[in-house]
Amino acid sequence: MNVLEQIEGYVQEHFEIGDDPDFNEDVNLFDEGFVDSLGATEIVFFIEDHFGIQITQKDIILYPMNTIREIAQVVERKMAEK
Amino acid sequence: MNTAIRLLEQAAARWPDKIAVEEETGSITYGALLRRAQAIGTGLLAQGVSGPVIVYLPKSIDALAAFFGALCAGTAYVPVDAHIPMARLGKIAENLRPGCIVTHEDLLPNLEGTGLTGTLLSGLEGAIDGDAVARATAGVIDTDPIYIMYTSGSTGTPKGVTIPHRGILDYADWVVDTFGFDETTVMANQAPFYFDNSTFDIYGTLRCGGKLLLTPETLFLFPLKLPEYLEANEVTSIFWVPTVMMNVANAGALEGHPLPKLKNVAFCGEVMPNKQLNIWRRALPHCAYANLYGPTEITDVCCYYKVDRAFADHESLPIGRACENMRAMVLMEEGREAAVEETGELCIAGSGVALGYWNAPELTARAFVQDPLRPHTASRMYRTGDLAKVGQDGLLYFLGRRDSQIKLKGNRIELGEIETAAVCIPGVANACALLDEAAGQIVLFAESGEKLTLRQANKVLKQYIPAYMLPGRLVVMERLPHTANDKIDRVRLRASLTEEVAPC
């Protein structure tokens, strides 16, 4: 599984999204109500642990992390920097 | 005459090259902010704008420059959310009859087909005509409107709270005196500009030569990283809604961030739970914590309590005493002052009291009345609709609402506005919205014979009401329960929240 699929799998299972037709890699997780701010913290914990990276406040300001695809892009960038 | 324009002029004269405001992509000095405001004011005057200026822009230096630009043109500003539903903006414009709507190129297409016309901010900023600005501002006095902020109205029409310059000037002085703000102050702003908590940040900071940081909104989605941001930017003061403070505490985000520069932690907008406050106080014992209270109708804040001891989870955190320029009274129905420990309506008088609701004399007359305790002076009083008491300790305590207005994540919401929007959903004949305190969300009960999901409902609702008003849960019923006199039985629906009802 690639990075995107791993994150998608985590979000889908952890936030009990099931087969909601509106859910995909490009949907805004926060605007569409799939994830709240506590959930955002859980996603950060997950990607930091799972991929062994550290997301900084600068990353959050510089790169959007509203969709699965955007989060995966940040993770891939951080992994490449390691 | 002293007005907010003089406040900026004085700051620009005293600290011309000091950074006033910083955002992600840049910053602006006090001198440059005044020059931009004068240029925008000149542009507005050249276009013949005389009515209030709606500022339809995201939170930015541009928006602040437009606020002061409207003031330089001798009029008031009206901040609105860059994500505002067009139906709501239309209602606001209908009530306000604005001089113009200042916006950016990327927001302009949203206005297409609404009958509203946008004016590009970039098109307003040319050469400064100092004489024209001086003429336009010379006649402005401190009881003239500085801004009109629209809050949720129970019938579905937002109400335009109109605040005078005097309210803001006194409030800025109060912030600076109470929190010891000075040129070293670095304020991290959270409140959106269309929410009056932002006036604490804007005017408190600009009054003292401090630096206002427009913290990127996206960071508040990731509370875990907020302390790291405060550390990196050497922030000295924050004034956040309790929801954000709770999210930071619950994420364990304060661990490992001692934040030695942070001095003031103030909060307002809803009840702050002691559990999370205690997490902050234990993690950052050197900070001063203040619980502030105030509806939009009295220039943001009218009561404050500096937290001076630990509170157990079950205790009530007081809202304290009236700010020095204000008076707070707990009144009984018959107009007398409540005795100690007696519950009454919290009523506010003083220089921060709004001029009223814009173009709504009946609503204004109902909420803003002659102060019954001072019948022989021209003292106006705002009836907040909030229940309160004075405790044995002489401090004020907030005890909830008299009506169906609620607070959610710091946002003030009239449930009636959601219900009015809900009947626009195809198939929905009737609706009732309630706050589920335990779950921290709005529950919408919709009368419909058809299948409806929460996401489908919210797709429609989004066209009429802001995102913070959207329900978190939907219960579809073939018929809503009614009382004997045929009103929706809110008590029965409320009781169903604590029972097991199958979520939709």
Side-chain angles (χ1 to χ4, degrees):
Chain A
M1 273 203 293
N2 63 26
V3 168
L4 188 136
E5 285 163 356
Q6 290 176 56
I7 297 169
E8 184 166 20
Y10 166 80
V11 170
Q12 217 158 6
E13 191 187 313
H14 194 79
F15 299 98
E16 296 174 1
I17 287 164
D19 56 356
D20 193 311
D22 285 344
F23 180 76
N24 58 54
E25 304 86 43
D26 296 305
V27 73
N28 188 313
L29 297 173
F30 308 104
D31 283 359
E32 295 302 319
F34 288 107
V35 177
D36 63 11
S37 58
L38 279 186
T41 296
E42 287 164 14
I43 293 177
V44 173
F45 276 139
F46 168 77
I47 57 178
E48 288 186 343
D49 268 9
H50 190 80
F51 299 105
I53 53 167
Q54 184 72 39
I55 304 289
T56 67
Q57 51 101 14
K58 273 273 171 215
D59 295 324
I60 289 167
I61 295 172
L62 292 175
Y63 311 112
M65 288 177 55
N66 296 316
T67 68
I68 301 274
R69 193 180 305 283
E70 288 169 352
I71 296 169
Q73 281 163 354
V74 172
V75 169
E76 279 164 354
R77 187 180 292 113
K78 299 298 282 188
M79 287 171 76
E81 282 170 12
K82 265 205 304 189
Chain B
M1 184 59 84
N2 212 357
T3 63
I5 270 297
R6 303 290 167 256
L7 181 150
L8 182 60
E9 283 171 356
Q10 283 158 10
R14 200 160 158 201
W15 305 285
D17 302 315
K18 198 170 177 299
I19 288 183
V21 192
E22 193 175 288
E23 64 188 0
E24 243 174 288
T25 48
S27 61
I28 191 165
T29 64
Y30 278 87
L33 181 60
L34 177 64
R35 287 190 295 277
R36 277 198 74 184
Q38 289 169 334
I40 295 165
T42 302
L44 289 168
L45 289 167
Q47 296 208 355
V49 170
S50 59
V53 174
I54 292 183
V55 179
Y56 173 44
L57 290 171
K59 186 197 283 184
S60 57
I61 291 172
D62 278 359
L64 276 174
F67 295 169
F68 284 105
L71 299 182
C72 279
T75 185
Y77 63 89
V78 185
V80 298
D81 186 1
H83 302 288
I84 190 170
M86 283 304 111
R88 197 166 205 254
L89 184 60
K91 282 181 183 171
I92 289 174
E94 198 184 312
N95 171 257
L96 184 70
R97 302 187 185 283
C100 74
I101 302 176
V102 171
T103 190
H104 276 165
E105 216 150 285
D106 53 344
L107 291 172
L108 209 48
N110 297 344
L111 296 173
E112 275 169 28
T114 61
L116 303 170
T117 315
T119 303
L120 287 180
L121 180 68
S122 54
L124 291 169
E125 292 190 70
I128 296 170
D129 181 345
D131 289 342
V133 169
R135 270 196 308 276
T137 56
V140 179
I141 58 172
D142 64 352
T143 50
D144 284 337
I146 172 171
Y147 64 75
I148 299 144
M149 239 177 238
Y150 278 83
T151 70
S152 184
S154 55
T155 57
T157 303
K159 299 184 287 191
V161 179
T162 309
I163 294 293
H165 283 265
R166 173 52 53 202
I168 280 294
L169 293 173
D170 286 349
Y171 185 45
D173 285 349
W174 178 80
V175 170
V176 169
D177 292 346
T178 307
F179 297 95
F181 276 20
D182 59 23
E183 288 130 310
T184 66
T185 293
V186 179
M187 181 87 209
N189 159 264
Q190 172 259 321
F193 287 170
Y194 56 88
F195 181 18
D196 68 337
N197 273 10
S198 63
T199 61
F200 179 108
D201 307 1
I202 296 169
Y203 293 98
T205 308
L206 298 186
R207 168 76 178 80
C208 69
K211 181 167 81 176
L212 176 63
L213 279 181
L214 304 184
T215 307
E217 280 169 55
T218 162
L219 263 179
F220 292 97
L221 280 176
F222 297 90
L224 189 58
K225 302 298 174 183
L226 278 167
E228 192 186 320
Y229 171 85
L230 299 180
E231 198 163 46
N233 289 285
E234 304 192 325
V235 170
T236 65
S237 291
I238 54 174
F239 177 36
W240 290 352
V241 286
T243 303
V244 172
M245 295 195 50
M246 283 161 61
N247 289 343
V248 170
N250 292 341
L254 293 167
E255 279 166 42
H257 297 284
L259 303 180
K261 298 268 185 186
L262 188 63
K263 287 186 214 158
N264 290 302
V265 178
F267 40 90
C268 176
E270 62 194 325
V271 175
M272 176 76 202
N274 294 331
K275 188 175 161 217
Q276 281 84 5
L277 177 59
N278 288 335
I279 293 175
W280 276 80
R281 294 184 77 228
R282 273 198 301 273
L284 307 174
H286 60 284
C287 293
Y289 294 84
N291 184 27
L292 311 186
Y293 161 89
T296 307
E297 285 86 343
I298 45 72
T299 318
D300 197 22
V301 165
C302 56
C303 296
Y304 72 113
Y305 173 67
K306 288 191 165 179
V307 182
D308 54 4
R309 66 175 179 89
F311 282 80
D313 287 359
H314 66 274
E315 280 184 283
S316 300
L317 191 63
I319 55 171
R321 302 175 191 285
C323 300
E324 278 63 21
N325 59 317
M326 304 299 288
R327 281 169 53 236
M329 303 152 270
V330 180
L331 298 184
M332 305 305 290
E333 289 267 338
E334 61 270 29
R336 70 170 168 89
E337 216 163 351
V340 170
E341 290 291 332
E342 199 175 18
T343 300
E345 183 179 18
L346 186 52
C347 295
I348 308 293
S351 64
V353 173
L355 300 169
Y357 300 113
W358 186 266
N359 202 8
E362 278 165 29
L363 281 179
T364 300
R366 233 176 295 152
F368 299 88
V369 298
Q370 170 69 33
D371 175 352
L373 302 181
R374 294 191 175 176
H376 306 300
T377 57
S379 174
R380 286 165 67 254
M381 180 182 87
Y382 173 62
R383 302 178 54 186
T384 65
D386 285 339
L387 298 173
K389 67 168 187 181
V390 177
Q392 298 284 358
D393 51 12
L395 298 172
L396 286 161
Y397 289 82
F398 170 78
L399 299 170
R401 287 292 300 175
R402 278 192 335 175
D403 53 24
S404 65
Q405 186 191 101
I406 60 149
K407 280 287 185 99
L408 185 61
K409 295 177 183 156
N411 295 299
R412 163 174 157 181
I413 299 169
E414 292 285 359
L415 293 169
E417 188 166 358
I418 302 169
E419 290 160 0
T420 307
V423 293
C424 301
I425 302 168
V428 173
N430 210 341
C432 174
L434 291 175
L435 174 67
D436 183 348
E437 281 104 352
Q441 65 185 10
I442 292 163
V443 181
L444 180 68
F445 294 88
E447 186 170 301
S448 175
E450 292 162 42
K451 198 171 170 283
L452 182 69
T453 68
L454 177 65
R455 216 173 310 285
Q456 286 165 341
N458 281 348
K459 255 183 197 165
V460 179
L461 291 174
K462 265 185 209 172
Q463 299 167 28
Y464 302 97
I465 56 176
Y468 62 78
M469 289 193 193
L470 294 177
R473 195 177 139 198
L474 173 74
V475 180
V476 180
M477 301 173 114
E478 273 196 24
R479 183 159 160 77
L480 294 179
H482 280 62
T483 60
N485 56 9
D486 214 33
K487 285 166 112 177
I488 293 176
D489 192 346
R490 302 182 80 92
V491 176
R492 223 169 105 193
L493 288 171
R494 170 159 292 289
S496 77
L497 290 178
T498 46
E499 296 159 13
E500 272 305 302
V501 176
C504 292

